[in-house]
Amino acid sequence: MKQRYGAVTLIAMIGVTTTARAVDCREDTGPWRTLFTMGDIHMQLPVNLRLEAAPDRISLVGKRIECRHTIDPQTPSARTDYLDTGRDWSWRVGAKFVEQGTGLQINGTLYNTPVPLRIRSNTIPDNASPYLVDITPYILTRNSPETPIDIRIGDILGVLRLLQTNKAGSGTSQLTITYIANNNLSVSPSTCTINNNNPIEIDFGDVHQFSIGTDPLTTSIRSDRRLIYSCPDAGITTPITITYKGIASPFNINLLATTNSDVGTALIRAGTAIQVNGSFLTHITNSFGGDDVTFSLVKRTGSLPTSGPVIGSGVLVMGVP
């Protein structure tokens, strides 16, 4: 019996799958990084801190992010990708600034924290062109003296999260950007004032040399004044310091120097002469406060000051303990 041999052809189908790509992003003109569908890219962005006005804020500026539709053999095409603020959160400020108001400027519009979800920042067509991600985080400088801002190089300023989607609805990815301080910035956010920022002019009038005493607390040449502290925002209650800034007299550090080397001016509060460039502790309650102080004219012990005008200049500065 003849044996028959049959040939059996096996066809192996080898499936090749590729990871779907979404958009490419980069820091300024740096290398492109691809956001893969269902993936997450983390980037660090060094930025400079710049004081702005109306509203008063610190903007995080300098290096920027730009993105493009991933280029492939089909480019250009009708495909489109989108970037939106996150689905659960968009902006988290660094731990150093949790007491400050913050926000994002997106395409020219300011959004204070909490920033609304799913705000569209970019529509990115498949045309090989890069598109700037026009988002600038900011830190609001509050109208109170209680939370001065001190930013150091390397501080983490905050984290921005953007969500990528596409026209076909085939998946999403996330772009997470950590902002790092590239410069130092110290600023008191206070717009609280002493006497509404009006100059305090002390005119002792015509004084005889023999009338000027040598002790700030007992000299008869004196002028009593009221210091009034006020803040534009209601509800501010905080301890504050008032610093007597200027050049100290060469014969007494408790006296402000004048044009006459034998004469100085003292600031007295609660029975104590405040040292020049020293301060006293006081307080603001519900955005208002005040102190009664005395300015006195004092001469060097054993001297007889020469006649003529005596002029001195100092500054009172409000701060925090």
Side-chain angles (χ1 to χ4, degrees):
M1 184 178 189
K2 294 183 178 180
Q3 294 180 335
R4 298 179 181 271
Y5 295 90
V8 178
T9 302
L10 299 177
I11 301 176
M13 301 296 293
I14 301 175
V16 177
T17 60
T18 59
T19 303
R21 295 190 295 176
V23 295
D24 301 330
C25 295
R26 67 180 179 182
E27 171 192 315
D28 283 346
T29 57
W32 290 103
R33 297 183 61 186
T34 299
L35 279 74
F36 292 97
T37 299
M38 304 307 294
D40 190 358
I41 279 187
H42 293 263
M43 302 178 72
Q44 285 195 349
L45 195 65
V47 290
N48 294 320
L49 300 120
R50 185 178 68 197
L51 283 171
E52 310 280 8
D56 294 339
R57 65 193 188 280
I58 300 171
S59 292
L60 282 49
V61 299
K63 290 187 177 295
R64 307 293 290 272
I65 297 293
E66 59 181 8
C67 297
R68 69 182 182 187
H69 199 291
T70 301
I71 298 173
D72 60 23
Q74 299 180 59
T75 301
S77 73
R79 295 175 302 179
T80 304
D81 279 309
Y82 308 103
L83 289 179
D84 303 300
T85 55
R87 62 161 60 99
D88 48 3
W89 61 269
S90 304
W91 169 248
R92 287 180 176 170
V93 72
K96 204 170 187 178
F97 315 108
V98 293
E99 298 298 323
Q100 304 293 336
T102 64
L104 299 176
Q105 182 175 355
I106 303 175
N107 296 325
T109 301
L110 300 177
Y111 298 93
N112 288 346
T113 304
V115 177
L117 304 178
R118 304 305 294 268
I119 296 174
R120 179 142 300 164
S121 67
N122 291 84
T123 298
I124 306 174
D126 184 15
N127 60 7
S129 297
Y131 290 84
L132 176 69
V133 180
D134 189 10
I135 298 179
T136 302
Y138 58 83
I139 301 167
L140 292 171
T141 53
R142 297 178 56 194
N143 291 332
S144 74
E146 58 191 349
T147 50
I149 296 172
D150 184 33
I151 301 172
R152 304 287 96 188
I153 293 174
D155 281 348
I156 295 177
L157 304 172
V159 179
L160 171 67
R161 174 174 286 180
L162 297 177
L163 181 69
Q164 173 274 331
T165 58
N166 57 67
K167 189 175 182 180
S170 58
T172 64
S173 60
Q174 286 189 144
L175 173 62
T176 303
I177 305 168
T178 300
Y179 289 80
I180 307 295
N182 198 42
N183 65 317
N184 297 329
L185 179 66
S186 295
V187 57
S188 171
S190 175
T191 54
C192 301
T193 61
I194 302 174
N195 289 11
N196 202 31
N197 277 339
N198 292 318
I200 303 172
E201 296 183 0
I202 310 298
D203 186 355
F204 293 106
D206 293 331
V207 176
H208 195 282
Q209 298 103 310
F210 291 107
S211 300
I212 305 173
T214 57
D215 186 331
L217 302 182
T218 61
T219 180
S220 61
I221 312 303
R222 307 161 64 88
S223 179
D224 297 328
R225 293 300 174 94
R226 177 72 176 170
L227 302 181
I228 299 174
Y229 319 128
S230 60
C231 301
D233 285 356
I236 302 300
T237 297
T238 180
I240 59 171
T241 57
I242 304 297
T243 301
Y244 188 32
K245 284 189 172 290
I247 298 174
S249 165
F251 65 91
N252 190 331
I253 60 173
N254 290 329
L255 304 178
L256 188 73
T258 70
T259 52
N260 189 317
S261 60
D262 289 327
V263 177
T265 303
L267 169 63
I268 300 167
R269 188 253 186 185
T272 300
I274 306 303
Q275 181 177 320
V276 177
N277 296 313
S279 61
F280 62 86
L281 182 66
T282 182
H283 62 276
I284 289 175
T285 303
N286 198 22
S287 299
F288 291 96
D291 281 289
D292 292 314
V293 298
T294 297
F295 294 89
S296 63
L297 204 60
V298 182
K299 68 181 179 182
R300 186 197 302 262
T301 300
S303 71
L304 183 65
T306 57
S307 61
V310 176
I311 301 171
S313 178
V315 180
L316 296 179
V317 178
M318 183 187 302
V320 290

